[in-house]
Amino acid sequence: MPKFMVTGGAGFIGSTLVRSLLDQPNGEVEIVDNLLTGHEKNIADVRKRVMLHHVDIRDASALRPILKGADVVFHLAAIPSVPRSIHEPQASHEVNADGTFNVMRAAADGGVRRLVYAASSSAYGDSETLPKIETMIPRPKSPYAVQKLLGEHYAAVFHSCFGLETVSLRFFNVYGPRQDPSSPYSGVLSLFMRHLLARTAPTIFGDGEQSRDFTYVEDVAGLCIKAANAPSSVAGKMFNAGNGGRFTLNQIWSLLQKVEGVEIAPKFGPPREGDVRHSMADTQAAVAELGHAPKFTIEEGLKKTLEWYRMAEIQTTQGVA
Ligand code: UD1
């Protein structure tokens, strides 16, 4: 029975991946999470089917016995925020850079077959060209982008020097159910959802004409599993994990108002430090080599996400959650 280990498995993307892995015909699923940005409630419905190791990836000696012998390690644990990495560079570096090194080292020493690493589209920075293709020279604009890029380089080197089969996936602005809207560093779509349901105005940083390749979380989880199962020829490589489209924040807020049948003018604030202007993935390599096939259009993804937030809000007000 193969063992799948998900670091950050109690987080927003990690918990979706855990569910997708449990839907497969076989395999045991275990989670490593320090429950800092992840929450046990994200895995409440599958809690009895998974083992949760309450461990911090900064703790190398605790990681080693846990990762040993796993078939695949999905490394998603991170402090995932561009602005947070500017306000708290030390903590963010320790988790995203040092922690990632610890995970890869433990995986290599522990005989793990493959490691799938959650890299980030932020590595591209503000290069003018769209779409962003894997062969472009990275231009990181924030500590977060540097840390995530470092992990990619380590992933490639852990393959070439230590024989660990690694695949890096540059996630492009993932959204969907369970994205936590409660922090000032939360992803913009989780904040938009909360404002829409509360009928309050979101704040858009800048003119709202910046664009993102918003990617639905189940599509990303599906691609992680494809990366784990792809032939060994993908080892040591990095792929974009996006949809290949882009929407401005103004377009998304308009779409959400239409879906909900309301009109709420957003507030506009100053542009955010470290922000990238436009982002959109070239998906050809991921399609050709990993079999990437995103299923959700932005309309479908936004509707599913909104319904989840609506239910979660009802449960919270009824004291269920
Ligand atoms: C970046 C990465 C993404 C990564 C994420 C981790 C890029 C292109 N993307 O996302 O791959 O997974 O970091 O956190 O670098 N905004 C508002 N109002 C708000 C909040 C945000 O207008 O209340 C704006 C931001 O200024 C930004 C956009 O929304 O222009 C998206 O922000 P956010 O959701 O934080 O993600 P990125 O920083 O783009």
Side-chain angles (χ1 to χ4, degrees):
M1 185 84 99
K3 185 164 90 176
F4 302 115
M5 188 66 63
V6 184
T7 75
F12 147 58
I13 306 174
S15 62
T16 305
L17 174 60
V18 163
R19 273 185 200 81
S20 303
L21 287 167
L22 288 170
D23 284 344
Q24 297 199 121
N26 57 42
E28 287 169 19
V29 183
E30 297 189 14
I31 293 172
V32 171
D33 205 301
N34 67 352
L35 303 179
L36 179 69
T37 56
H39 306 282
E40 261 195 284
K41 66 173 190 245
N42 285 340
I43 49 167
D45 53 328
V46 293
R47 186 65 189 83
K48 291 201 176 93
R49 300 173 63 199
V50 295
M51 187 185 285
L52 169 63
H53 303 273
H54 191 170
V55 161
D56 194 304
I57 59 168
R58 286 169 290 191
D59 186 349
S61 55
L63 272 180
R64 290 180 158 271
I66 297 171
L67 266 52
K68 193 170 179 190
D71 184 50
V72 183
V73 171
F74 297 92
H75 175 40
L76 276 66
I79 296 188
S81 166
V82 167
R84 188 163 176 178
S85 76
I86 296 172
H87 300 138
E88 301 169 24
Q90 183 78 31
S92 144
H93 180 90
E94 283 170 11
V95 171
N96 299 342
D98 299 337
T100 290
F101 175 80
N102 292 340
V103 170
M104 291 188 190
R105 183 104 199 270
D109 291 351
V112 169
R113 179 181 64 83
R114 185 162 294 184
L115 181 140
V116 178
Y117 167 62
S120 169
S121 66
S122 57
Y124 288 111
D126 258 343
S127 51
E128 292 279 301
T129 324
L130 288 174
K132 311 281 190 193
I133 189 161
E134 289 89 341
T135 48
M136 280 177 178
I137 294 172
R139 298 196 190 284
K141 284 187 71 180
S142 62
Y144 177 77
V146 171
Q147 294 149 13
K148 282 285 166 180
L149 181 61
L150 178 73
E152 283 180 21
H153 289 308
Y154 261 133
V157 163
F158 266 86
H159 176 241
S160 61
C161 295
F162 308 118
L164 174 66
E165 288 195 357
T166 56
V167 183
S168 295
L169 298 175
R170 281 189 183 169
F171 292 179
F172 277 69
N173 288 75
V174 186
Y175 73 100
R178 296 181 189 80
Q179 190 168 22
D180 184 358
S182 65
S183 140
Y185 302 123
S186 297
V188 68
L189 289 196
S190 69
L191 297 168
F192 275 12
M193 295 291 159
R194 176 170 262 189
H195 281 290
L196 190 66
L197 292 174
R199 305 291 191 255
T200 52
T203 300
I204 291 180
F205 301 133
D207 61 4
E209 287 305 300
Q210 65 267 51
S211 61
R212 296 288 183 271
D213 188 346
F214 291 106
T215 309
Y216 190 62
V217 66
E218 286 181 37
D219 282 330
V220 171
L223 186 60
C224 288
I225 294 175
K226 287 178 175 172
N229 295 333
S232 292
S233 54
V234 300
K237 292 190 183 174
M238 175 275 286
F239 298 91
N240 286 338
N243 273 323
R246 69 188 171 102
F247 292 87
T248 67
L249 295 186
N250 291 330
Q251 285 172 328
I252 295 279
W253 183 246
S254 299
L255 202 56
L256 283 173
Q257 290 175 85
K258 209 178 286 169
V259 168
E260 195 64 1
V262 293
E263 274 185 36
I264 306 164
K267 293 180 222 158
F268 288 90
R272 200 177 68 178
E273 216 183 346
D275 237 18
V276 163
R277 185 71 178 157
H278 299 298
S279 177
M280 182 173 85
D282 181 303
T283 59
Q284 288 182 68
V287 169
E289 292 191 59
L290 303 177
H292 184 33
K295 291 188 193 139
F296 296 90
T297 63
I298 189 82
E299 288 83 0
E300 288 164 347
L302 288 177
K303 278 184 191 159
K304 277 173 82 80
T305 307
L306 189 57
E307 284 325 303
W308 184 86
Y309 279 93
R310 203 189 309 279
M311 284 311 298
E313 210 116 295
I314 292 168
Q315 286 178 350
T316 309
T317 51
Q318 290 176 349
V320 181

